[in-house]
Amino acid sequence: MKGFEAFDDVQRAVVVAAHPDDLECCCGGVVTMLVARGVPVFSANCTLGDIGAQEGDIVRPALAANRLRETEDAARLLGLSGTFNLGHHDGELLPDLELRSQIARLYRITQADTVLTFDPHWPGQIHPDHRAAGQAALDAYMPAKMPLYRPEQLHEPGAALCNLQRVFLFSTERDLDVCVDVTNVYPGKLAACMAHVSQFPKGEESLSWLKEMDGRAGQRIGVQYAEAFRTMLVW
Amino acid sequence: MKGFEAFDDVQRAVVVAAHPDDLECCCGGVVTMLVARGVPVFSANCTLGDIGAQEGDIVRPALAANRLRETEDAARLLGLSGTFNLGHHDGELLPDLELRSQIARLYRITQADTVLTFDPHWPGQIHPDHRAAGQAALDAYMPAKMPLYRPEQLHEPGAALCNLQRVFLFSTERDLDVCVDVTNVYPGKLAACMAHVSQFPKGEESLSWLKEMDGRAGQRIGVQYAEAFRTMLVW
Amino acid sequence: MKGFEAFDDVQRAVVVAAHPDDLECCCGGVVTMLVARGVPVFSANCTLGDIGAQEGDIVRPALAANRLRETEDAARLLGLSGTFNLGHHDGELLPDLELRSQIARLYRITQADTVLTFDPHWPGQIHPDHRAAGQAALDAYMPAKMPLYRPEQLHEPGAALCNLQRVFLFSTERDLDVCVDVTNVYPGKLAACMAHVSQFPKGEESLSWLKEMDGRAGQRIGVQYAEAFRTMLVW
Amino acid sequence: MKGFEAFDDVQRAVVVAAHPDDLECCCGGVVTMLVARGVPVFSANCTLGDIGAQEGDIVRPALAANRLRETEDAARLLGLSGTFNLGHHDGELLPDLELRSQIARLYRITQADTVLTFDPHWPGQIHPDHRAAGQAALDAYMPAKMPLYRPEQLHEPGAALCNLQRVFLFSTERDLDVCVDVTNVYPGKLAACMAHVSQFPKGEESLSWLKEMDGRAGQRIGVQYAEAFRTMLVW
Amino acid sequence: MKGFEAFDDVQRAVVVAAHPDDLECCCGGVVTMLVARGVPVFSANCTLGDIGAQEGDIVRPALAANRLRETEDAARLLGLSGTFNLGHHDGELLPDLELRSQIARLYRITQADTVLTFDPHWPGQIHPDHRAAGQAALDAYMPAKMPLYRPEQLHEPGAALCNLQRVFLFSTERDLDVCVDVTNVYPGKLAACMAHVSQFPKGEESLSWLKEMDGRAGQRIGVQYAEAFRTMLVW
Amino acid sequence: MKGFEAFDDVQRAVVVAAHPDDLECCCGGVVTMLVARGVPVFSANCTLGDIGAQEGDIVRPALAANRLRETEDAARLLGLSGTFNLGHHDGELLPDLELRSQIARLYRITQADTVLTFDPHWPGQIHPDHRAAGQAALDAYMPAKMPLYRPEQLHEPGAALCNLQRVFLFSTERDLDVCVDVTNVYPGKLAACMAHVSQFPKGEESLSWLKEMDGRAGQRIGVQYAEAFRTMLVW
């Protein structure tokens, strides 16, 4: 089991998530540590998070607009270098060719060398959007490296062939091989999560489940809070 | 390995299957035991089973009509509280957004607290419809709990947000953790299967493979016949 | 771990691959040995391989045309009994109903008893086309055996219900159970690969990765070069 | 305005309709006259007609099975040379590539020189299935003539490139140029319609609308009953 | 050319439009007159209008949320009995089966006897969403009358089979047969349009094109402002 | 009926066609005259023309590659400023959202003020690809003018909002209002057509149908050869 040293070679990262608060909850600690080391980190949320409400008394576009603002608030706290929202509907994300193409474009324009995303292969994943986001993020990897795939994407200023060299999968219990102590940055992680006011209206109280989850990961390596990952060998 | 006590908290169940005889073959014993305990059980077959013939001398709609009748016959024997057929074509079921929505509606109108379905993650599953039914049943779980997902479904009399709290996956050899002794109810299970006359034209003789399979499951826990499951932690 | 004896009952085989050089690289050794034994072997490539270039200075149809020619060249070297290309675009293969139907047709007209294909369940598979080809190859198995599934396919001269009886999955590290010593036929395997000049422009030098990979498989059974498979129980 | 002489060169015809009773109602008279002249006529119904009921107390597959039987009954009365049902759902027919391919196959295996179908361009057509059937029938014309379009269709015994040379559009009021006196064969037309018992349960009484419609067409040319068409110049 | 008497039998109407301001601009005068006569009028906008901005400095969900509010404001001014938004994306509306089903549901729950919608057959219609909305509105007519089409829609409180009996097509120059003098209600029409502040930021000044268009229609019948329609015979 | 003066304001044009030889045959004369006046003209072919062969003895990608070369040859003869091929399959073009987006991108990067395309509304059009190309070309017009539609397209160097101001529809007999005398440039038109050797293998002899068609158009205005158009009012 490796720790943060597994991220030693990361120089530029993109997080492909499904909903506006996924990055913060699933890898907000590691992202904070990467940013602190000077690594530009970009976030890409596939959906608008537009069914993310316990009550039905808000229209979906208004909820989506709120969540885009919360995303920006959290990104400022985390020091992200840029955020993207791919505009799909919450609860209905599919790993189709359109999503693949959108993510390939992000790989090409961010020139990230590292992607963090959901593990699409963990059988315990009950949220279909999580699996779809992770699957599409992996599926975009190969085509994005080929010049004949959607070549118009390479015309955008700053774009070049996909430069990804490593993959970290989160939200998984499958063959974990990286577990990072995030205790020191945990207050910042919580603050970023709490920027998603619509999701955690009672602040830290709404996040007890997260502290419990990160605490369980911490127990694996004998620290208070940790974030766990499965790496994937790519070529 | 748990036994029938794994079903202790079940008060209302729905079985999401692919073909008209799947419920009977895969979990007919447990269903019988649940019904005997007073639990309302609903069946949902995603396809019409309309290629389920060894000869090509019947038109598909006629076969489908036969199988709907056999479904009702078996349901009467089992004491089911209701049956649904989602109308898709046998051999061509896809876990797409339409199927997800249909199943979400059933979760909402049956108000089941428990779903039994195919394990979509077992790599040994050769039937694509089985995997599709199981995947869609899991994919519908999260959205069905959210009020902004297909809100018109909640207008139906008796409908409310999805109340599912547990998942039992059948037709799997992946990390089994429940194995229920169904020896006592086995004659009833066989009778329900035999109600599918089109599939088992020679009655019990056509079901030797099933007795063998349930017998192998029985060996795991030292009984004559058993049905095995994999539970899934949901939240 | 079985060796080539795992293929003892094979009398007629089809390889369902994604790109024009997959067969050669993934199971070219075993195919060579089957052909030597007199087994007719057919190849089916789902895509045209039309983004398979490191430079963007060729139009995709011209690349595809080149690769179809290279496929024929390699097939001649291997002694294949026939080649099929299903015409899909490289980097965008989906395991949808159309691909399923195309593969079912091949099962029916080749009357193969054995299929070799990509393992769609290996989580380490980074190429989406590989997973799609393998998934579709498995998904076509059941329907192709049923007379009411796409019955017009059975009108073609020589066609009959699918006769498949065994499945070998390649390009996988999941629960390997067959590993075949291909050392003796390795020069022929390399020659067949090198027939794909567009992919391996420097000949054997471009194939060092393959020799390394097959060498690692060889170490499992103490030989120089081997090809590894996962079998799948079907019914 | 031409009469039946517009059909003088017809030697082999196919009618592409949407529902099981469309042929009989829209061109049953002309079909009767063609058959009487020795012309083989084939019918192709795109949908199963499976929502064609005024009450909801029948399951759709049973209704479909009934209508397939009624189709055969009517075909026997009319002396058709063959009937095809393309299996789509009533009320949901789309002129997509799958339907186009199915119809192209029929053109190729029937070797018809003439197609009769719905006018997809008549703005007064309120039934979406009618427009879809007509559009698909026209869209299939060109591709079916090309050897590289779905070449496997040409493997079927008796199949050859599409031989269509003329198109008659029915169910239209757009620029009518053919109006055929069907008074003499009208009893037979009515009998064929009445074979669709599920649709016209009161026999001729249920068909007063049709007699009125055909009567209005008759008035155009001064006869009791007529069927009107719009021809289309094709190349 | 008929006037407002063409609407004499209307007792309950639904307007199927594409964007939040279409109803107001295309038939706001007639709607005002119907409401004044006591006719309940419902509006259904197929898209969110979420690309309806001349500048790119607003995120799409925020624009959509604004437009939903403007829709409600205009509806209050017009006295509509209810508004529906079907949630599709502006500039990308398709007349597919999902949209057909959504509109069929509205026909069934509003129990309207009259629909007003875009003419999908006018060749001068340059906006694809307009054509799509009109086409889907017509396509939904037949299926919505059949009990076996999406029968779960009939479970909603107040729903029954579609009761539509007449169709008025607007935004057309094809064979106009109704032209209604809306001069007296024109200030109200303009006020309703101006409720769409995002579209007409300069108020009446932004609507000179509309006054010109309605003025041209007025010239047909010798009044200041008119709205023109094409009726469609349905059965 | 206007002549070439209808093109007086054209300063930059794009032709949206379906197959590699459509531009040359349908409006090659007018294009020649525009280029001679210094107007940059771009061609966009939606399909590869890959079923455009009378014999089945060539593989489709090879045919496509040939036709791309022929397109370049013809473009050189005509003096086009650029050619685009959108890569769709011949005989299967659909006016879907992907094609709409591809064409919108071309409008934005060419900054054409005029588009020439197939009339999608002419009921005599038997080729489905022609109708699809024309429909998509019209459908892309509105969205391409909106900054929130596919905004990433505007990042490409040289791209800006769609600047189209006029539409000329060809291959139509519907309400023609422009007919241009192309007699003087006819040899050049024929030469451009003959550059499509695969289609017109016998040179001018293969083009007698075209000379006849253009001759009939010429008769409308009393010249030897003409090309006819229908303009469309856009806003």
Side-chain angles (χ1 to χ4, degrees):
Chain A
M1 186 76 74
K2 283 192 171 178
F4 190 55
E5 70 274 15
F7 292 85
D8 272 357
D9 294 336
V10 178
Q11 294 186 324
R12 209 166 169 83
V14 62
V15 181
V16 178
H19 310 98
D21 58 341
D22 289 337
L23 177 152
E24 291 78 358
C25 294
C26 295
C27 60
V30 161
V31 163
T32 301
M33 291 162 75
L34 287 170
V35 170
R37 209 179 69 200
V39 174
V41 180
F42 299 87
S43 93
N45 294 323
C46 295
T47 83
L48 293 162
D50 55 336
I51 61 168
Q54 298 307 316
E55 305 296 329
D57 55 358
I58 186 171
V59 294
R60 289 177 61 157
L63 176 56
N66 288 348
R67 299 198 71 177
L68 290 177
R69 276 193 300 271
E70 293 171 355
T71 302
E72 294 308 314
D73 292 344
R76 256 190 310 277
L77 291 178
L78 290 169
L80 299 189
S81 296
T83 65
F84 300 91
N85 188 291
L86 303 183
H88 296 271
H89 286 305
D90 192 357
E92 301 195 316
L93 189 66
L94 294 178
D96 57 17
L97 296 185
E98 188 195 355
L99 182 58
R100 185 184 300 182
S101 164
Q102 289 179 297
I103 295 175
R105 175 178 166 259
L106 296 189
Y107 290 163
R108 288 166 159 190
I109 64 178
T110 63
Q111 286 294 297
D113 53 48
T114 302
V115 61
L116 298 89
T117 192
F118 282 98
D119 181 2
H121 301 296
W122 177 45
Q125 181 53 267
I126 191 66
H127 203 311
D129 293 347
H130 293 182
R131 199 181 61 248
Q135 189 65 67
L138 295 186
D139 289 351
Y141 178 93
M142 266 334 229
K145 288 184 175 285
M146 312 299 282
L148 292 172
Y149 175 78
R150 313 257 165 157
E152 70 279 6
Q153 292 180 347
L154 299 168
H155 298 185
E156 263 190 71
L161 287 181
C162 168
N163 187 36
L164 284 181
Q165 293 159 43
R166 61 194 73 80
V167 177
F168 293 89
L169 302 174
F170 53 66
S171 191
T172 183
E173 298 183 6
R174 185 178 61 85
D175 304 332
L176 299 175
D177 58 0
V178 174
C179 200
V180 179
D181 178 359
V182 297
T183 312
N184 286 341
V185 297
Y186 211 69
K189 170 170 178 167
L190 286 177
C193 290
M194 286 186 285
H196 295 276
V197 177
S198 68
Q199 305 305 300
F200 311 115
K202 299 188 182 170
E204 200 167 329
E205 189 184 331
S206 302
L207 288 160
S208 52
W209 63 273
L210 181 66
K211 292 198 282 188
E212 206 176 307
M213 190 177 81
D214 291 341
R216 274 198 306 274
Q219 287 172 1
R220 291 176 181 270
I221 53 170
V223 304
Q224 192 176 4
Y225 295 119
E227 290 172 353
F229 300 87
R230 164 77 196 167
T231 59
M232 184 171 174
L233 197 71
V234 289
W235 67 89
Chain B
M1 186 77 73
K2 285 193 171 177
F4 190 53
E5 71 274 15
F7 292 85
D8 271 358
D9 294 335
V10 178
Q11 294 185 325
R12 207 168 171 82
V14 62
V15 181
V16 178
H19 310 99
D21 58 341
D22 290 338
L23 177 152
E24 291 78 359
C25 294
C26 296
C27 60
V30 162
V31 163
T32 300
M33 292 162 75
L34 288 169
V35 170
R37 209 178 69 201
V39 173
V41 179
F42 300 87
S43 93
N45 293 325
C46 296
T47 83
L48 294 162
D50 56 336
I51 61 169
Q54 298 307 316
E55 305 295 330
D57 56 358
I58 185 171
V59 294
R60 290 177 59 157
L63 176 57
N66 289 349
R67 300 198 69 178
L68 290 177
R69 276 193 300 270
E70 293 171 354
T71 302
E72 294 308 315
D73 293 343
R76 256 190 310 275
L77 291 178
L78 291 168
L80 299 189
S81 296
T83 65
F84 300 90
N85 189 290
L86 303 184
H88 295 271
H89 287 306
D90 192 359
E92 301 195 316
L93 188 67
L94 294 178
D96 57 17
L97 295 184
E98 189 193 355
L99 182 59
R100 186 184 300 182
S101 165
Q102 289 179 298
I103 295 175
R105 176 179 165 257
L106 296 189
Y107 291 163
R108 287 166 160 189
I109 65 177
T110 62
Q111 285 295 297
D113 53 47
T114 303
V115 61
L116 298 87
T117 192
F118 282 99
D119 181 3
H121 300 298
W122 177 46
Q125 182 52 268
I126 191 66
H127 204 309
D129 293 348
H130 292 182
R131 200 180 63 246
Q135 188 66 66
L138 296 185
D139 289 352
Y141 178 92
M142 267 332 229
K145 287 183 175 285
M146 312 299 281
L148 292 172
Y149 175 78
R150 312 257 166 156
E152 70 280 5
Q153 293 180 348
L154 298 168
H155 299 185
E156 262 190 73
L161 288 181
C162 167
N163 189 35
L164 284 182
Q165 292 158 46
R166 61 194 73 80
V167 177
F168 292 89
L169 302 174
F170 52 66
S171 190
T172 182
E173 299 182 7
R174 184 177 62 85
D175 304 333
L176 298 175
D177 57 0
V178 174
C179 200
V180 179
D181 178 358
V182 297
T183 311
N184 286 342
V185 297
Y186 212 69
K189 170 170 179 165
L190 286 177
C193 290
M194 285 186 286
H196 296 277
V197 177
S198 68
Q199 305 305 299
F200 311 115
K202 300 190 183 169
E204 200 166 331
E205 189 184 330
S206 302
L207 287 160
S208 52
W209 64 273
L210 180 66
K211 292 199 282 188
E212 205 174 309
M213 190 178 79
D214 292 341
R216 273 199 307 275
Q219 287 172 1
R220 291 176 181 271
I221 53 171
V223 302
Q224 192 176 5
Y225 295 119
E227 290 171 354
F229 301 88
R230 164 76 195 166
T231 59
M232 183 170 173
L233 196 71
V234 289
W235 67 89
Chain C
M1 186 78 73
K2 284 194 171 177
F4 190 53
E5 71 274 15
F7 292 85
D8 271 357
D9 293 336
V10 179
Q11 294 186 325
R12 208 166 170 84
V14 61
V15 181
V16 178
H19 309 99
D21 58 341
D22 289 339
L23 178 151
E24 291 78 356
C25 294
C26 295
C27 61
V30 162
V31 164
T32 300
M33 291 162 74
L34 287 170
V35 170
R37 209 179 70 201
V39 174
V41 180
F42 300 86
S43 94
N45 294 324
C46 296
T47 82
L48 294 162
D50 55 336
I51 60 169
Q54 298 307 315
E55 305 295 330
D57 55 359
I58 186 172
V59 293
R60 290 178 59 159
L63 176 57
N66 289 349
R67 299 198 69 177
L68 290 177
R69 275 194 299 271
E70 292 170 355
T71 302
E72 293 309 315
D73 293 343
R76 255 191 309 276
L77 291 177
L78 290 169
L80 298 189
S81 296
T83 65
F84 300 91
N85 188 290
L86 303 183
H88 295 272
H89 287 306
D90 191 359
E92 301 195 317
L93 189 66
L94 294 178
D96 57 17
L97 295 184
E98 189 194 354
L99 181 59
R100 186 183 300 182
S101 164
Q102 289 179 298
I103 295 175
R105 176 179 165 258
L106 296 190
Y107 290 162
R108 287 166 160 190
I109 64 177
T110 62
Q111 286 295 296
D113 53 46
T114 302
V115 61
L116 298 88
T117 192
F118 282 99
D119 181 3
H121 301 297
W122 178 46
Q125 182 51 269
I126 191 66
H127 203 311
D129 292 347
H130 293 182
R131 200 180 62 249
Q135 189 65 67
L138 296 186
D139 289 351
Y141 177 93
M142 268 329 230
K145 287 184 175 285
M146 312 300 282
L148 292 173
Y149 175 78
R150 313 256 166 158
E152 70 280 5
Q153 293 180 347
L154 298 168
H155 298 187
E156 263 190 72
L161 287 181
C162 168
N163 188 35
L164 284 181
Q165 292 159 46
R166 59 194 76 80
V167 177
F168 292 89
L169 302 174
F170 52 66
S171 191
T172 182
E173 298 182 8
R174 186 177 62 85
D175 304 332
L176 298 175
D177 58 0
V178 175
C179 200
V180 180
D181 178 359
V182 296
T183 311
N184 286 343
V185 297
Y186 212 70
K189 170 170 178 165
L190 286 178
C193 291
M194 286 186 286
H196 295 276
V197 177
S198 68
Q199 304 305 299
F200 311 115
K202 300 188 182 169
E204 200 166 329
E205 188 184 333
S206 301
L207 288 160
S208 51
W209 64 274
L210 181 66
K211 293 199 282 187
E212 205 175 310
M213 192 178 80
D214 291 342
R216 274 198 307 274
Q219 288 172 1
R220 292 175 180 272
I221 53 170
V223 304
Q224 190 176 5
Y225 294 119
E227 290 171 352
F229 300 87
R230 164 76 195 166
T231 58
M232 184 171 173
L233 196 71
V234 289
W235 68 90
Chain D
M1 185 78 73
K2 285 194 170 175
F4 190 55
E5 70 275 15
F7 292 85
D8 272 357
D9 294 336
V10 178
Q11 294 185 326
R12 206 167 172 83
V14 62
V15 181
V16 179
H19 310 100
D21 59 341
D22 289 338
L23 177 152
E24 291 78 359
C25 295
C26 295
C27 61
V30 163
V31 164
T32 300
M33 292 162 74
L34 288 170
V35 170
R37 209 178 69 202
V39 173
V41 180
F42 299 86
S43 93
N45 293 325
C46 296
T47 83
L48 294 162
D50 55 336
I51 62 169
Q54 298 307 315
E55 305 295 331
D57 56 358
I58 185 171
V59 293
R60 291 177 61 159
L63 176 56
N66 289 349
R67 300 197 71 178
L68 290 177
R69 276 192 300 270
E70 294 171 355
T71 302
E72 293 309 314
D73 292 343
R76 255 189 310 274
L77 291 177
L78 290 168
L80 300 189
S81 296
T83 65
F84 300 91
N85 188 289
L86 303 184
H88 296 271
H89 287 306
D90 191 359
E92 301 196 315
L93 189 66
L94 294 178
D96 56 17
L97 296 185
E98 189 195 353
L99 182 58
R100 184 182 302 180
S101 165
Q102 288 179 297
I103 295 175
R105 174 177 166 260
L106 296 189
Y107 291 163
R108 288 167 159 188
I109 65 177
T110 62
Q111 285 295 295
D113 53 47
T114 303
V115 61
L116 298 87
T117 192
F118 283 99
D119 181 4
H121 300 297
W122 178 45
Q125 183 50 267
I126 190 66
H127 204 310
D129 292 347
H130 293 182
R131 199 180 64 248
Q135 189 65 68
L138 296 185
D139 289 351
Y141 177 93
M142 268 332 228
K145 287 184 176 285
M146 312 300 280
L148 292 173
Y149 175 77
R150 312 255 167 158
E152 70 282 4
Q153 293 180 348
L154 298 168
H155 298 186
E156 261 189 73
L161 287 182
C162 168
N163 187 37
L164 284 181
Q165 291 159 47
R166 61 194 73 80
V167 177
F168 293 88
L169 302 174
F170 53 67
S171 190
T172 182
E173 298 182 7
R174 185 176 62 85
D175 304 332
L176 298 175
D177 58 1
V178 174
C179 199
V180 179
D181 178 359
V182 297
T183 311
N184 286 343
V185 297
Y186 212 69
K189 169 170 178 166
L190 286 178
C193 290
M194 287 186 286
H196 295 276
V197 178
S198 68
Q199 304 305 299
F200 311 116
K202 300 188 183 171
E204 199 165 332
E205 190 184 331
S206 301
L207 287 161
S208 53
W209 64 272
L210 181 66
K211 293 198 283 188
E212 205 175 309
M213 192 178 79
D214 291 340
R216 274 198 307 274
Q219 289 173 0
R220 293 175 181 270
I221 54 171
V223 304
Q224 191 176 5
Y225 295 119
E227 290 171 350
F229 300 87
R230 163 76 196 166
T231 58
M232 184 170 174
L233 196 73
V234 288
W235 66 88
Chain E
M1 186 78 73
K2 285 195 169 176
F4 190 54
E5 70 275 15
F7 293 84
D8 271 359
D9 294 336
V10 179
Q11 294 185 325
R12 207 167 171 84
V14 63
V15 181
V16 178
H19 309 99
D21 59 341
D22 289 338
L23 178 151
E24 291 79 357
C25 294
C26 296
C27 61
V30 162
V31 164
T32 300
M33 292 162 75
L34 288 170
V35 170
R37 208 179 71 202
V39 173
V41 180
F42 299 87
S43 93
N45 293 324
C46 296
T47 81
L48 293 161
D50 55 335
I51 61 168
Q54 298 308 316
E55 306 295 331
D57 55 359
I58 186 171
V59 293
R60 290 177 61 157
L63 176 56
N66 289 349
R67 300 198 70 177
L68 290 177
R69 275 193 300 271
E70 293 171 356
T71 302
E72 294 308 313
D73 292 344
R76 256 191 308 277
L77 291 177
L78 290 167
L80 299 189
S81 296
T83 65
F84 299 91
N85 188 290
L86 303 183
H88 295 271
H89 287 306
D90 190 359
E92 302 196 315
L93 189 66
L94 295 177
D96 58 17
L97 296 184
E98 189 195 354
L99 182 59
R100 185 182 300 181
S101 165
Q102 289 179 298
I103 295 175
R105 175 178 166 258
L106 296 189
Y107 290 163
R108 289 167 160 190
I109 64 177
T110 63
Q111 285 295 296
D113 53 46
T114 302
V115 62
L116 298 89
T117 192
F118 282 98
D119 181 3
H121 301 296
W122 178 45
Q125 183 51 268
I126 190 66
H127 203 311
D129 293 347
H130 294 181
R131 200 180 64 248
Q135 189 64 67
L138 296 185
D139 290 350
Y141 178 92
M142 270 329 231
K145 288 183 176 285
M146 312 300 280
L148 292 173
Y149 175 77
R150 312 254 166 160
E152 70 281 5
Q153 293 180 347
L154 299 167
H155 298 186
E156 263 190 71
L161 287 181
C162 168
N163 188 36
L164 284 181
Q165 292 158 47
R166 61 195 73 80
V167 176
F168 293 89
L169 302 174
F170 52 67
S171 190
T172 181
E173 297 182 6
R174 184 176 63 84
D175 304 332
L176 297 175
D177 59 0
V178 174
C179 199
V180 180
D181 178 359
V182 297
T183 312
N184 286 343
V185 297
Y186 212 69
K189 170 171 179 165
L190 286 177
C193 290
M194 286 186 285
H196 295 276
V197 178
S198 68
Q199 305 305 298
F200 312 115
K202 300 186 182 173
E204 201 166 329
E205 189 184 331
S206 303
L207 288 160
S208 52
W209 63 273
L210 181 66
K211 293 199 282 187
E212 206 175 308
M213 191 178 80
D214 291 342
R216 274 198 307 275
Q219 288 173 2
R220 292 175 180 271
I221 54 171
V223 303
Q224 191 177 3
Y225 295 119
E227 289 171 353
F229 300 88
R230 164 75 195 167
T231 59
M232 184 169 174
L233 197 71
V234 289
W235 67 89
Chain F
M1 186 77 74
K2 286 193 171 177
F4 190 54
E5 70 276 14
F7 292 85
D8 272 357
D9 294 336
V10 178
Q11 294 186 324
R12 207 166 171 85
V14 62
V15 181
V16 178
H19 309 100
D21 59 341
D22 289 338
L23 178 151
E24 291 78 357
C25 294
C26 296
C27 60
V30 162
V31 163
T32 300
M33 292 162 75
L34 287 170
V35 169
R37 208 179 70 201
V39 173
V41 180
F42 300 87
S43 93
N45 293 325
C46 296
T47 82
L48 293 162
D50 55 336
I51 61 168
Q54 298 307 316
E55 305 294 331
D57 55 358
I58 185 172
V59 293
R60 289 177 62 158
L63 176 56
N66 288 350
R67 298 197 71 178
L68 290 177
R69 275 193 300 272
E70 294 171 354
T71 302
E72 294 308 314
D73 292 344
R76 257 190 309 276
L77 291 177
L78 290 168
L80 299 189
S81 296
T83 65
F84 299 91
N85 189 290
L86 303 184
H88 295 272
H89 287 305
D90 191 359
E92 301 197 315
L93 189 66
L94 294 177
D96 57 16
L97 296 184
E98 188 194 355
L99 181 59
R100 184 183 301 181
S101 165
Q102 289 179 296
I103 295 175
R105 174 177 166 259
L106 296 189
Y107 290 163
R108 288 166 160 189
I109 65 178
T110 62
Q111 285 295 297
D113 53 47
T114 302
V115 62
L116 298 88
T117 191
F118 283 98
D119 181 3
H121 301 297
W122 178 45
Q125 182 52 266
I126 190 66
H127 203 309
D129 293 347
H130 293 181
R131 199 180 64 248
Q135 190 64 67
L138 295 185
D139 289 351
Y141 177 93
M142 268 330 229
K145 287 183 175 286
M146 312 300 281
L148 292 173
Y149 175 77
R150 311 256 165 157
E152 70 280 5
Q153 293 180 348
L154 298 168
H155 298 185
E156 262 190 71
L161 287 181
C162 167
N163 188 36
L164 284 181
Q165 291 159 48
R166 61 195 72 81
V167 177
F168 292 88
L169 301 175
F170 53 67
S171 190
T172 182
E173 299 182 6
R174 185 177 63 84
D175 305 332
L176 297 175
D177 58 0
V178 174
C179 200
V180 180
D181 178 1
V182 297
T183 312
N184 286 343
V185 297
Y186 212 70
K189 171 171 178 166
L190 286 178
C193 291
M194 287 186 285
H196 295 276
V197 178
S198 68
Q199 305 304 299
F200 311 115
K202 300 187 181 170
E204 201 166 331
E205 189 184 331
S206 302
L207 287 160
S208 52
W209 64 273
L210 180 66
K211 293 199 283 188
E212 206 175 307
M213 191 178 80
D214 291 341
R216 275 198 306 274
Q219 288 172 1
R220 292 174 180 271
I221 54 171
V223 303
Q224 191 176 3
Y225 295 118
E227 289 171 353
F229 301 86
R230 164 74 194 167
T231 58
M232 183 170 176
L233 197 71
V234 289
W235 68 88

